[in-house]
């Protein structure tokens, strides 16, 4: 083994996996079961072939796999200059008698859909002399297997490629493994988003939570309401996401097995909305006189619900995922409390002075009924008024005793996403990724049924101090800690110290793939980042 491989730590108890001897681990996040040995096979870009198995339900012409073959060929052999090997038709001249063949067998189609809730990402990978055999139920599992395969390929000190004999049987611990980007507080250029999607695929994260609009700006260009971005974006032409841009993001994500979860947060966090939609926001009062300022969405006007119905109808036609994030967090009630019309409505509805009931009236009674989608809401909505609709997913984001909140929400029968411990826009000196790595999402007192309601979690990168200049190094490799926690077996990956050399190695791999991942500590990579 190379000196680089010898630096990796072995995980105790790995001898039990697949009934073998403890092995060197070369894949992040760590597979559920992996065994590899010192037996290695030479690889060459001129004698390497991806092909569909004869019995595969998915064959040549499947864009997800055909493009993945090309993409992973370049990732495995970056000096080859690209070109790729789509399907069984290799463009390269064989200098060896027999190429190393990667045979992919997918049990079920189709190939032309989108990854979704419940998509099966399981795969099995066997590397033996002259070939690797990858089997999966769906193309999404095949993508995860191709990523693992690409990470098994190493170079020796002379630059020669090789791969070790390996067996992997793998599946994700949680079905929802997300990453949130905030594109309102700072506009993120399209290329920065696409590059983030690439890095997500390398880490096997599978949901891009697009917090696309907020108080500072409204960059989403709506077909129905073009003034929202024309008057609400930082700039109506340079700082917007056109319909073409959005489709490109969704397609780039689809080809990597990543869902796109759109968030249009209301009734709070909507100041930018009011620029292009008059009468949407609540006029605030100082005594009996309007103050000239505006608060959250006005929940008592019929016009509000006509507008929201039209906007959300458009959003659900653009974003194909079965989930939509409705927000509902951090609503400042002071403006509602000052408005005489709102107060009269509260009295009429019997809400008294409990403005949390007004927010629940807005989100639960009205907005959610407009959608034939599963809705995600921030935990504020649950905190304010117990939700009795099982299609809601509650995202726990408040720090404190966040597992206490998870217990409370699951006890009420709702599915949970955990993001509280993974707000990695907060930074500190030192290796703060260790805090993310030690999170135990199901470590709360509750029944097994409650724990099954924790469907996953996500890393959040809020944008107050983040734009394209520092997005990648602030995200990577820190987000990889949560990625392994959400994919891998918790017991096998319980040691932060044993994770450190593997993550250091993976960080170097990210650099080689063009991702500006920051250092974990002192040291160097064989292939340092070459960009400017």
């Amino acid at each position: 083994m190379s000196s680089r491989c010898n630096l990796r730590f072995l995980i105790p108890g790995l001898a039990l996996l697949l009934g073998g001897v403890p092995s060197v681990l070369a894949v992040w996040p760590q597979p559920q079961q992996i065994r590899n040995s010192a037996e290695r096979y030479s690889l060459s870009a001129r004698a390497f072939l991806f092909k569909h198995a004869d019995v595969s339900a998915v064959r040549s012409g499947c864009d997800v796999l055909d493009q993945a073959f090309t993409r992973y060929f370049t990732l495995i052999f970056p000096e080859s200059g690209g070109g790729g090997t789509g399907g069984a038709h290799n463009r390269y001249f064989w200098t060896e008698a027999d190429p190393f063949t990667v045979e992919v067998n997918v049990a079920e189609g189709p190939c032309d859909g989108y990854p979704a809730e419940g998509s099966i990402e399981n795969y099995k990978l066997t590397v033996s002399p002259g070939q690797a055999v990858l089997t999966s139920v769906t193309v999404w599992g095949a993508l995860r297997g191709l990523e693992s395969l690409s990470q098994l390929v190493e170079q020796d000190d002379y630059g020669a490629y090789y791969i070790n004999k390996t067996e992997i049987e793998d599946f994700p611990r949680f079905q929802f493994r997300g990453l949130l980007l905030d594109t309102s507080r700072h506009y993120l250029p399209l290329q920065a988003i696409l590059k983030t999607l690439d890095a997500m695929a390398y880490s096997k994260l599978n949901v891009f939570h697009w917090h696309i609009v907020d108080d500072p700006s409204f960059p989403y260009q709506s077909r129905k309401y073009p003034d929202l971005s024309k008057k609400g974006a930082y700039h109506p032409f340079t700082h917007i996401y056109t319909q073409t841009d959005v489709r490109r993001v969704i397609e780039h994500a689809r080809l990597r097995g990543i869902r796109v979860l759109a968030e249009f947060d209301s009734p709070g966090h909507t100041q930018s909305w009011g620029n292009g939609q008059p009468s949407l926001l609540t006029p605030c009062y100082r005594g009996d006189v309007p103050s000239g300022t505006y608060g959250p969405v006005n929940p008592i006007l019929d016009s509000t619900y006509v507008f929201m119905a039209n906007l959300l109808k458009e959003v659900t036609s653009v974003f194909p995922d079965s989930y939509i994030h409705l927000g509902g967090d951090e609503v400042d009630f002071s403006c509602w409390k000052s408005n005489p019309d709102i107060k009269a409505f509260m009295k009429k509805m019997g809400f008294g002075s409990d403005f949390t009931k007004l927010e629940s009236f807005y989100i639960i009674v009205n907005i959610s009924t407009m959608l034939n989608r599963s809705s995600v809401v921030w935990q504020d909505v649950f905190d304010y008024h117990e939700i009795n609709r099982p299609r809601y997913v509650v995202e726990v984001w408040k720090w404190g005793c966040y597992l206490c909140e998870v217990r409370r929400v699951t006890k009420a029968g709702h599915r949970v996403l955990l993001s509280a411990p993974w707000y990695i826009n907060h930074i500190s000196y030192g290796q703060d990724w260790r805090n993310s790595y030690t999170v135990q999402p199901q470590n709360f007192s509750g029944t097994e049924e409650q724990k099954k309601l924790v469907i996953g979690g996500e890393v959040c990168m809020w944008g107050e101090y983040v734009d394209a200049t520092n997005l990648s190094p602030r995200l990577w490799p820190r987000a990889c800690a949560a990625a392994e926690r959400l994919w891998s077996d918790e017991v096998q990956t319980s040691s932060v110290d044993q994770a450190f050399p593997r993550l250091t190695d993976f960080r170097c791999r990210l650099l080689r793939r063009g991702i500006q991942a920051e250092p974990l500590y002192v040291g160097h990579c064989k292939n340092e980042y070459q960009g400017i």
Side-chain angles (χ1 to χ4, degrees):
M1 301 297 288
S2 71
S3 59
R4 177 171 140 194
C5 291
N6 289 335
L7 289 174
R8 297 195 187 95
F9 287 29
L10 299 180
I11 290 188
L14 192 62
L16 298 177
L17 302 182
L18 291 176
V21 178
S23 59
V24 172
L25 299 177
V27 177
W28 191 281
Q30 181 183 313
Q32 301 290 335
Q33 299 180 16
I34 179 170
R35 182 177 64 190
N36 55 15
S37 73
E39 183 178 341
R40 65 167 63 170
Y41 317 118
S42 297
L43 300 178
S44 168
R46 298 180 66 84
F48 189 93
L49 175 67
F50 289 104
K51 63 174 290 187
H52 297 278
D54 291 340
V55 295
S56 177
V58 174
R59 308 299 296 273
S60 183
C62 166
D63 60 348
V64 171
L65 287 187
D66 288 349
Q67 291 194 39
F69 292 165
T70 299
R71 190 166 64 249
Y72 277 106
F73 184 91
T74 304
L75 290 173
I76 292 170
F77 304 110
E79 293 85 2
S80 68
T85 56
H89 306 288
N90 199 307
R91 303 179 189 179
Y92 291 90
F93 173 75
W94 306 124
T95 56
E96 283 115 285
D98 296 304
F100 186 93
T101 302
V102 179
E103 184 175 277
V104 180
N105 181 6
V106 179
E108 299 176 4
C111 180
D112 56 355
Y114 293 90
E117 177 187 21
S119 290
I120 300 172
E121 298 174 278
N122 303 22
Y123 69 91
K124 294 181 181 180
L125 176 65
T126 301
V127 180
S128 56
Q131 70 171 350
V133 177
L134 171 61
T135 60
S136 64
V137 178
T138 68
V139 292
W140 317 121
L143 288 177
R144 306 300 173 233
L146 289 170
E147 176 57 40
S148 293
L149 173 74
S150 74
Q151 294 183 32
L152 291 172
V153 177
E154 301 279 3
Q155 278 182 288
D156 63 20
D157 292 338
Y158 301 97
Y161 292 96
Y162 67 90
I163 190 169
N164 285 65
K165 181 179 181 180
T166 307
E167 295 177 44
I168 293 176
E169 187 167 345
D170 203 9
F171 55 88
R173 182 183 177 199
F174 293 102
Q175 68 178 41
F176 190 111
R177 308 177 306 282
L179 185 151
L180 175 149
L181 290 185
D182 169 9
T183 58
S184 174
R185 291 174 175 86
H186 281 98
Y187 175 81
L188 294 176
L190 187 63
Q191 286 302 321
I193 296 175
L194 300 182
K195 196 169 189 178
T196 299
L197 291 169
D198 291 342
M200 287 178 64
Y202 304 153
S203 305
K204 296 189 176 74
L205 294 170
N206 70 341
V207 182
F208 170 42
H209 177 174
W210 196 350
H211 188 88
I212 192 167
V213 298
D214 207 297
D215 281 331
S217 71
F218 196 106
Y220 171 77
Q221 188 179 63
S222 167
R223 293 189 301 259
K224 180 73 174 180
Y225 298 103
D227 278 353
L228 288 171
S229 61
K230 186 176 181 180
K231 297 179 180 180
Y234 286 131
H235 190 282
F237 303 115
T238 61
H239 286 60
I240 61 170
Y241 302 106
T242 66
Q243 295 286 311
T244 299
D245 293 334
V246 171
R247 285 195 297 270
R248 186 173 175 189
V249 168
I250 293 170
E251 181 64 5
H252 196 88
R254 181 185 77 90
L255 292 171
R256 287 152 183 80
I258 297 172
R259 300 162 55 191
V260 180
L261 170 63
E263 180 181 359
F264 284 77
D265 190 0
S266 70
H269 292 281
T270 49
Q271 288 298 299
S272 65
W273 302 38
N275 297 328
Q277 186 63 23
S279 303
L280 177 65
L281 303 184
T282 304
C284 306
Y285 277 69
R286 186 179 295 111
D288 297 329
V289 181
S291 65
T293 60
Y294 294 85
V297 166
N298 193 329
I300 69 171
L301 300 179
D302 291 342
S303 59
T304 292
Y305 298 105
V306 172
F307 163 77
M308 290 300 298
N310 288 334
L311 178 64
L312 293 176
K313 181 180 179 181
E314 175 185 315
V315 167
T316 54
S317 71
V318 171
F319 293 90
D321 198 75
S322 61
Y323 280 43
I324 185 171
H325 205 303
L326 296 178
D329 64 316
E330 298 181 316
V331 180
D332 183 354
F333 297 141
S334 59
C335 184
W336 281 353
K337 291 177 180 179
S338 74
N339 185 290
D341 295 328
I342 297 283
K343 289 188 286 187
F345 181 83
M346 292 280 290
K347 183 177 181 180
K348 175 185 174 183
M349 296 296 293
F351 292 163
S353 58
D354 186 353
F355 285 85
T356 67
K357 292 182 179 179
L358 183 59
E359 181 182 356
S360 296
F361 170 81
Y362 169 80
I363 291 182
I364 298 174
V365 177
N366 287 284
I367 300 301
S368 65
T369 60
M370 301 174 181
L371 302 167
N372 186 27
R373 298 287 175 96
S374 294
S375 301
V376 185
V377 294
W378 297 107
Q379 75 180 80
D380 310 50
V381 178
F382 179 84
D383 290 343
Y384 290 155
H385 195 275
E386 185 170 320
I387 307 168
N388 57 7
R389 302 188 183 210
R391 295 189 70 191
Y392 270 96
V393 177
V394 178
E395 183 161 1
V396 173
W397 69 274
K398 297 179 182 179
W399 183 254
C401 182
Y402 58 83
L403 289 179
C404 300
E405 295 299 312
V406 172
R407 182 181 64 231
R408 193 166 62 92
V409 176
T410 56
K411 188 175 182 179
H414 300 292
R415 291 170 293 168
V416 167
L417 291 175
L418 180 62
S419 61
W422 292 317
Y423 269 45
I424 65 172
N425 51 289
H426 296 290
I427 58 175
S428 60
Y429 189 78
Q431 299 185 40
D432 58 358
W433 68 272
R434 291 172 174 260
N435 298 327
S436 296
Y437 195 79
T438 57
V439 173
Q440 297 176 299
Q442 294 176 321
N443 187 24
F444 60 91
S445 59
T447 66
E448 286 304 310
E449 290 304 313
Q450 280 181 254
K451 295 183 179 184
K452 289 177 182 178
L453 290 173
V454 181
I455 63 172
E458 65 179 16
V459 171
C460 294
M461 182 56 71
W462 296 100
E464 287 88 347
Y465 304 99
V466 177
D467 65 8
T469 65
N470 63 345
L471 174 65
S472 282
R474 195 166 283 194
L475 267 176
W476 312 108
R478 295 164 72 230
C480 301
E484 181 153 289
R485 183 54 53 239
L486 291 168
W487 179 281
S488 304
D489 180 86
E490 187 173 272
V491 174
Q492 295 176 27
T493 56
S494 59
S495 171
V496 179
D497 291 338
Q498 292 174 355
F500 175 75
R502 294 192 298 109
L503 186 54
T504 299
D505 182 75
F506 186 63
R507 181 254 173 179
C508 290
R509 191 178 297 277
L510 290 177
L511 290 188
R512 193 180 187 197
R513 295 181 177 189
I515 304 298
Q516 293 167 279
E518 70 178 15
L520 292 169
Y521 193 53
V522 297
H524 79 288
C525 292
K526 182 177 180 180
N527 301 101
E528 298 287 4
Y529 183 76
Q530 298 297 317
I532 302 297

